[in-house]
Amino acid sequence: MGGVAIGVDVGGTTVAGGLVDADGEVLAHFQEPTHGRGPGTALATLLDLLGKLEGVARARGLQIAGAGIGVPGTVDAERGVIGADIHYVPELAGTPLAAVVGGRLGLPVFVDNDVNVLALGEWIFGAGRGARSLVVLALGTGVGGGIILEERLHRGHGGFGGELGHVPIDFDGRPCICGGRGCLKAYVSGTDIARQGSERLKREVTAAEVFELAAGGDAGAAEVVDEVCEALGAGLAVIVNGLNPERLLLAGSVAKSLKPLEAEVRAQVARYAFAQALATTRIEILVRDKDATVRGGAALLHYETRRRASC
Ligand SMILES: [Zn+2]
């Protein structure tokens, strides 16, 4: 594949896009508030960002090979059509985004779920380089998973593969936004950590503040953090025992807060996972910036170009 790739991450708050070279180096990066033009304007923001990236490429004499786009929801990745279940940017539901953007650029464009895209980015350019199997668990506002097995992204038969935030870790546990009960997400997402912290401390706190307060010796916050580590241990054990991937990477804003607690997280996984399986799965907590998701979009373009050529 010649030329640079455009990688885009469509989030509920910002749309980030960049020009990425064949080594995963981000050569230019822009981001805009998703709904800076008002509600329902994510597509206009995305197209504006692409225009800026095309301008930079032209000015620097770079040829664009195509684009990969990550979105926060389910996607029919074969056709590049956004599913009905799209969080934070509901106006994109049902949009044939690959065709719309591809028509605008006159180049190949691929679209996938944002955590699948993140997993491809880490696999092709990042901490998962060279691995035959890899799982990324993204812990942010929500919790999502991206699974690569035997060098293939595992999207699942109906496109729902990788929903690791909604594996139940407590069969009689907390209700979850998905309608289920005891889901991993209900214990370890930023939203749920903030809610638990606020209830326990009797004032509004963010997830990051819960971790900071716990580190500073606040007993109430420390109880919440202990519960997060224990729930995560059970959730990661599902992945270790069920898939035994070569690498298991934790990403997202909550992962950043968990980085100083790496030893505690490992101890909790060890309580639940098979020792021999755990010994062969390398767990890593990643601290990443926005470039990681942009790089992921570029990785999606590389992956799909290669996959479709070999079909
Ligand atoms: Zn759930």
Side-chain angles (χ1 to χ4, degrees):
M1 197 185 82
V4 295
I6 290 181
V8 179
D9 178 57
V10 177
T13 315
T14 54
V15 178
L19 296 176
V20 185
D21 74 9
D23 298 320
E25 202 64 46
V26 179
L27 307 174
H29 183 164
F30 292 103
Q31 65 180 59
E32 287 186 35
T34 308
H35 296 120
R37 292 167 176 76
T41 56
L43 185 59
T45 305
L46 171 60
L47 293 176
D48 180 66
L49 206 84
L50 289 169
K52 286 181 184 167
L53 291 166
E54 282 181 300
V56 172
R58 217 177 301 122
R60 296 194 195 170
L62 298 166
Q63 194 199 336
I64 298 172
I69 304 172
V71 299
T74 54
V75 179
D76 174 347
E78 270 324 307
R79 300 186 303 134
V81 178
I82 313 277
D85 187 23
I86 176 103
H87 319 291
Y88 317 115
V89 277
E91 69 264 36
L92 292 181
T95 304
L97 196 62
V100 170
V101 176
R104 157 74 196 270
L105 292 175
L107 292 167
V109 173
F110 302 104
V111 183
D112 207 331
N113 167 269
D114 53 2
V115 188
N116 283 348
V117 166
L118 193 64
L120 287 172
E122 291 300 335
W123 181 44
I124 294 176
F125 298 126
R129 242 177 171 159
R132 286 188 62 83
S133 58
L134 159 85
V135 174
V136 169
L137 188 68
L139 305 155
T141 313
V143 176
I147 302 172
I148 288 159
L149 293 176
E150 300 304 321
E151 304 187 311
R152 301 276 295 189
L153 178 64
H154 184 77
R155 291 180 167 120
H157 181 58
F160 291 96
E163 286 297 345
L164 298 170
H166 300 280
V167 293
I169 53 158
D170 183 351
F171 74 87
D172 204 17
R174 265 179 223 158
C176 180
I177 48 160
C178 71
R181 190 167 267 282
C183 292
L184 177 61
K185 185 244 171 235
Y187 298 84
V188 303
S189 77
T191 321
D192 290 274
I193 297 169
R195 186 183 303 125
Q196 284 303 312
S198 301
E199 270 175 29
R200 208 120 6 145
L201 300 170
K202 301 197 173 17
R203 64 186 168 91
E204 286 297 312
V205 285
T206 64
E209 283 165 351
V210 172
F211 284 100
E212 283 162 24
L213 287 164
D218 184 289
E223 273 176 39
V224 177
V225 168
D226 284 348
E227 188 181 65
V228 171
C229 291
E230 192 170 2
L232 194 57
L236 294 177
V238 172
I239 300 168
V240 171
N241 289 0
L243 298 172
N244 187 205
E246 199 173 328
R247 311 267 166 82
L248 172 47
L249 309 173
L250 308 189
S253 56
V254 175
K256 204 171 182 176
S257 294
L258 283 166
K259 186 71 182 168
L261 300 167
E262 207 157 352
E264 173 62 14
V265 172
R266 281 177 203 285
Q268 289 295 338
V269 188
R271 288 181 60 209
Y272 297 100
F274 288 142
Q276 280 161 313
L278 187 56
T280 55
T281 290
R282 196 166 98 199
I283 300 177
E284 225 179 299
I285 299 179
L286 306 178
V287 178
R288 290 278 190 263
D289 55 19
K290 269 274 174 203
D291 274 0
T293 49
V294 166
R295 212 175 275 132
L300 174 65
L301 175 68
H302 286 275
Y303 175 74
E304 283 301 325
T305 303
R306 207 170 55 204
R307 185 178 74 89
R308 292 178 197 225
S310 68
C311 276

